[in-house]
Amino acid sequence: MRTHSLLFIISCILGCSAEFYVIDDRVGLGREFDGIGGLSGGGATSRLLVNYEEPYRSQILDFLFKVFTCASLHILKVEIGGDAQTTDGTEPSHMHSKDEANFFRGYEWWLMREAKKRNPNIKLIGLPWAFPRWVGEGTQWPYFFPNVTADYVVTWIYGAKQHHNLDIDYIGIWNENKYDPVYIKVLRDTLDSVGYTNVGIIAADGDWSIAAAMLENPYLNDAVEVIGVHYPGTKTVEEALLTEKKLWSSEDYSTFNDDIGAGCWARILNQNNVNGRMTSTISWNLIASYYENLSFGGDGLMTAKEPWSGHYLVESPIWMTAHTTQFTQPGWFYLQTVGNLAHGGSYVALIDRQGNLTIVIETMTHNHSQCIRPPLPHFDVSPQKATFQLKGSFAHLTDLQVWYSKLDFETKKDALFQRSSPVKVYNGSFTLRLDVDEVYTITTVNTGQRGSYPEPPKSRPFPKNYSDDFTVDNPPFSEAPYFADQTGVFEYFRNSTDNGSHAFTLWQNIHFAEMADLDVSCAVLIETPITGGVFLAARVDQGGESVREAKGVFYWIYANGTYKVTNDIGGQRVLAEGLSGTREGVWYTLTLSVKGYFAMGLLNGYPLWKNAVVLEPKNSWAALGTLSFEYAQFDHFEVNAE
């Protein structure tokens, strides 16, 4: 009996009858397709990209944004910096206070401009993850004064247009936080009052709960153009469908960019529509361009974390993206005849109503397509034959272009976004033999191309000897190269009161390169009397969301004339302390030397403390920072490692 069963399975795989799937535009169109995108922010996930030298930086940008090449993204979503830690670092606000504005801080403006160069039609979205404290008038709650918050956000949109010629298409509320209907209405009114009637509001970048509120509140319903949810697991809710609004997975994926991550991405790009009627999916994050040991290291559609070497990696999720983005555009429509395959997997069909048809098929298996979140219920996928019957406007087609990918988890020899021979259509139908963990694009569009560049430079560690005196008269970006703000924000500063060696400084916890035994030194200036303080650190083992739990060797000096050496950033594990004679307004040079289990510190070249015992961590980042986000200046930074 077992033998007969086995023979039947083999014969079915090789030649059993195919399941039939009808592609027909006569039954009506589904929802309008809004595009596939990537998210830079939440936070500081593109930080290292700006420091790549040419031509490698442009090559990376081409892989992400260039039309009809590689990922060819339709949407770029960026963080509106709020001067606060938001996952992998801090992004600066365009308004540190209510009395000033600077639309050249950070790198998101630059990234949006570069994306527009490569795809003039790319849609741009801004979303706050955090707000400067002044926005809530010291309450840390931006909804207490909705007019202030709305003005702050609209000022960012204004800056994008006036200073960078960027039209923002959509604006969000507050990432993964409570929404406030009053604020949303005030934001809509504020946008309209200054002529930004075409800027749509996405809400609430969390769960689906706002949908029920929109059904009950017509003013809220009118103000919101798109219901955006995070990590929906390809499912929607009835209330969201009843609003008849655009439904987006406005943040999704969040998975390591190996082949399982590629399987996750390929599956949800189809199934967010098939199961949830969502018409856009946006990847967090766009590119893994931050230090890998930070939170979610290695997420992103590709990897670019070594600007000092020029090395980058085009990962398999890039090619899963291309299967949809190169053969569709926002404004196309899903057909109603989309769905799940009989033996696992899914297919979608989209048309441009001008004669073009694109069908994307995926057969990702459960264990090879799990996203980090949410948990994935069990399902089975097996090899199968599928016959697609073309009806309506497409019954006359005789051949279609084919692009193919196979994530081969057994041989590790993937086939990624390869062009195959056109498929012949006989009497309006064609048949495919589908194996597991495959993606097919079957299309009338013939402009697809893989795109390629010469191999980038080889990977190499961060230089053991590095220094920066921050002497840049007109810096192209506000942050110094390779420094990555973790709490608070730092930027280049022109010290107009000093015409000497400290005329150019770094102003205002910064993470750096991973090292073990090292000497690190920096000139520091405390600006706050009595309560001010700064630190220089080595072997800092935590960053990102966990920075407040960081351990390491922290060498502090204070404006009250004392110093302290601690094994943690919170200052609880004291290794040494005493008098330093330090005060505000004076430049001091701190030198921290860590060798094996011992550390020592110099002040202006003279020993201040020594033989502090450091049992852990064994190695990690060098860092510098302030006591409590107050103003301070840093100059002549230098690190030498063994």
Side-chain angles (χ1 to χ4, degrees):
M1 187 68 177
R2 290 176 180 172
T3 303
H4 288 302
S5 177
L6 180 60
L7 287 172
F8 171 76
I9 292 172
I10 293 175
S11 65
C12 183
I13 292 173
L14 296 179
C16 66
S17 60
E19 300 286 346
F20 278 82
Y21 307 94
V22 175
I23 305 295
D24 191 350
D25 59 352
R26 295 176 304 179
V27 299
L29 300 178
R31 289 176 171 252
E32 183 177 349
F33 175 63
D34 294 307
I36 307 302
L39 201 168
S40 173
T45 53
S46 303
R47 172 64 192 92
L48 298 176
L49 177 58
V50 299
N51 299 133
Y52 270 78
E53 298 289 342
E54 296 294 350
Y56 310 115
R57 189 170 71 178
S58 287
Q59 292 171 8
I60 295 166
L61 293 164
D62 285 352
F63 275 112
L64 294 169
F65 300 118
K66 191 174 180 180
V67 177
F68 304 128
T69 304
C70 309
S72 192
L73 291 170
H74 305 132
I75 296 170
L76 173 59
K77 181 177 179 179
V78 304
E79 176 176 354
I80 300 176
D83 294 343
Q85 161 62 239
T86 54
T87 299
D88 288 296
T90 299
E91 298 201 29
S93 171
H94 58 290
M95 296 178 70
H96 290 326
S97 69
K98 63 181 178 181
D99 299 320
E100 65 91 49
N102 183 330
F103 302 103
F104 295 91
R105 293 191 183 109
Y107 40 85
E108 304 295 6
W109 315 102
W110 164 83
L111 185 60
M112 288 189 285
R113 292 198 310 269
E114 294 296 323
K116 276 286 188 181
K117 288 179 186 176
R118 290 159 174 83
N119 179 1
N121 295 319
I122 196 168
K123 300 295 184 182
L124 300 177
I125 304 172
L127 173 66
W129 264 251
F131 296 89
R133 189 177 179 85
W134 68 266
V135 171
E137 302 284 347
T139 65
Q140 295 185 323
W141 190 249
Y143 300 146
F144 276 142
F145 304 94
N147 287 54
V148 173
T149 305
D151 286 343
Y152 168 80
V153 170
V154 171
T155 299
W156 182 86
I157 299 173
Y158 168 85
K161 181 62 176 178
Q162 295 301 313
H163 296 277
H164 303 281
N165 197 30
L166 295 168
D167 292 305
I168 303 302
D169 297 284
Y170 296 95
I171 202 75
I173 305 305
W174 189 12
N175 182 75
E176 295 180 359
N177 274 280
K178 293 181 179 179
Y179 64 89
D180 181 82
V182 173
Y183 169 68
I184 293 174
K185 183 62 169 62
V186 169
L187 178 60
R188 180 71 269 162
D189 289 344
T190 305
L191 289 166
D192 293 345
S193 68
V194 294
Y196 294 141
T197 55
N198 292 329
V199 178
I201 291 178
I202 303 174
D205 282 300
D207 59 23
W208 290 109
S209 61
I210 195 172
M214 289 168 62
L215 291 175
E216 297 177 358
N217 185 336
Y219 296 103
L220 177 63
N221 190 71
D222 289 345
V224 174
E225 182 174 332
V226 178
I227 299 178
V229 296
H230 290 189
Y231 310 99
T234 77
K235 303 296 177 62
T236 189
V237 296
E238 183 180 2
E239 292 87 349
L241 294 170
L242 290 174
T243 66
E244 298 185 350
K245 295 288 184 176
K246 294 176 180 288
L247 308 180
W248 289 9
S249 181
S250 54
E251 182 179 320
D252 216 326
Y253 175 63
S254 186
T255 300
F256 302 121
N257 54 23
D258 54 14
D259 278 3
I260 291 179
C264 153
W265 185 233
R267 177 176 55 80
I268 64 178
L269 285 180
N270 265 22
Q271 294 190 22
N272 275 345
N273 181 261
V274 171
N275 301 331
R277 295 298 181 261
M278 286 167 270
T279 56
S280 178
T281 299
I282 299 174
S283 166
W284 187 90
N285 50 66
L286 170 73
I287 182 169
S289 198
Y290 48 99
Y291 292 115
E292 187 167 0
N293 288 342
L294 295 173
S295 305
F296 301 94
D299 282 18
L301 301 178
M302 62 181 291
T303 300
K305 60 180 182 178
E306 290 188 14
W308 53 87
S309 71
H311 179 71
Y312 63 86
L313 291 170
V314 182
E315 312 281 12
S316 46
I318 286 285
W319 306 115
M320 300 302 104
T321 312
H323 273 285
T324 297
T325 54
Q326 287 201 33
F327 309 103
T328 61
Q329 288 296 315
W332 286 42
F333 282 83
Y334 287 99
L335 293 182
Q336 292 188 27
T337 49
V338 302
N340 293 297
L341 299 171
H343 299 285
S346 64
Y347 68 97
V348 294
L350 300 100
I351 65 171
D352 66 353
R353 298 194 294 182
Q354 296 178 10
N356 282 310
L357 166 69
T358 290
I359 304 168
V360 184
I361 304 161
E362 60 81 23
T363 59
M364 295 299 145
T365 55
H366 178 275
N367 291 346
H368 295 159
S369 68
Q370 296 184 70
C371 304
I372 285 182
R373 49 183 168 169
L376 182 62
H378 179 76
F379 59 86
D380 292 313
V381 181
S382 58
Q384 56 195 296
K385 286 173 64 177
T387 295
F388 291 87
Q389 182 71 50
L390 306 182
K391 295 187 176 182
S393 302
F394 307 104
H396 68 282
L397 294 176
T398 58
D399 58 72
L400 292 162
Q401 305 300 312
V402 179
W403 290 81
Y404 168 75
S405 290
K406 167 74 173 181
L407 299 173
D408 198 322
F409 290 87
E410 292 186 4
T411 69
K412 307 299 182 183
K413 295 180 180 179
D414 295 344
L416 294 175
F417 199 63
Q418 296 181 354
R419 190 164 196 166
S420 301
S421 299
V423 64
K424 297 299 181 181
V425 182
Y426 298 100
N427 297 322
S429 70
F430 63 92
T431 299
L432 299 175
R433 293 180 180 271
L434 306 175
D435 201 355
V436 297
D437 298 321
E438 293 182 332
V439 180
Y440 282 87
T441 299
I442 314 296
T443 181
T444 59
V445 177
N446 58 18
T447 56
Q449 56 180 313
R450 200 173 194 278
S452 65
Y453 287 102
E455 284 293 314
K458 299 294 185 183
S459 173
R460 57 181 172 85
F462 191 87
K464 288 187 175 182
N465 302 299
Y466 181 81
S467 63
D468 194 339
D469 61 7
F470 313 116
T471 303
V472 183
D473 204 358
N474 293 294
F477 302 102
S478 59
E479 298 110 326
Y482 311 145
F483 286 82
D485 300 3
Q486 293 301 299
T487 59
V489 292
F490 290 70
E491 56 193 51
Y492 282 110
F493 180 62
R494 178 68 167 90
N495 192 341
S496 59
T497 64
D498 191 323
N499 294 319
S501 63
H502 299 300
F504 296 90
T505 65
L506 192 67
W507 199 34
Q508 180 338 344
N509 186 299
I510 291 183
H511 281 260
F512 202 66
E514 186 170 347
M515 299 174 178
D517 293 350
L518 79 163
D519 298 316
V520 58
S521 65
C522 189
V524 300
L525 177 78
I526 304 169
E527 294 192 16
T528 304
I530 309 300
T531 60
V534 298
F535 71 77
L536 186 65
R539 294 188 183 177
V540 181
D541 69 343
Q542 297 285 337
E545 299 166 300
S546 304
V547 67
R548 296 184 186 278
E549 288 76 50
K551 296 191 294 291
V553 184
F554 294 84
Y555 175 14
W556 306 79
I557 62 168
Y558 304 102
N560 65 3
T562 65
Y563 78 91
K564 185 185 292 186
V565 185
T566 67
N567 201 194
D568 64 320
I569 198 171
Q572 300 303 307
R573 301 172 63 178
V574 179
L575 304 178
E577 59 185 333
L579 298 176
S580 62
T582 51
R583 58 186 176 86
E584 80 282 357
V586 177
W587 281 99
Y588 300 97
T589 297
L590 303 184
T591 303
L592 173 61
S593 178
V594 186
K595 303 288 190 296
Y597 294 113
F598 297 96
M600 68 173 293
L602 307 181
L603 179 65
N604 290 340
Y606 294 95
L608 183 63
W609 54 274
K610 60 183 179 179
N611 295 331
V613 178
V614 183
L615 299 179
E616 59 176 0
K618 297 292 191 298
N619 66 336
S620 202
W621 290 295
L624 52 83
T626 64
L627 180 62
S628 58
F629 304 104
E630 74 268 21
Y631 290 137
Q633 295 182 50
F634 301 87
D635 201 0
H636 303 313
F637 179 88
E638 185 173 352
V639 59
N640 295 285
E642 296 182 1

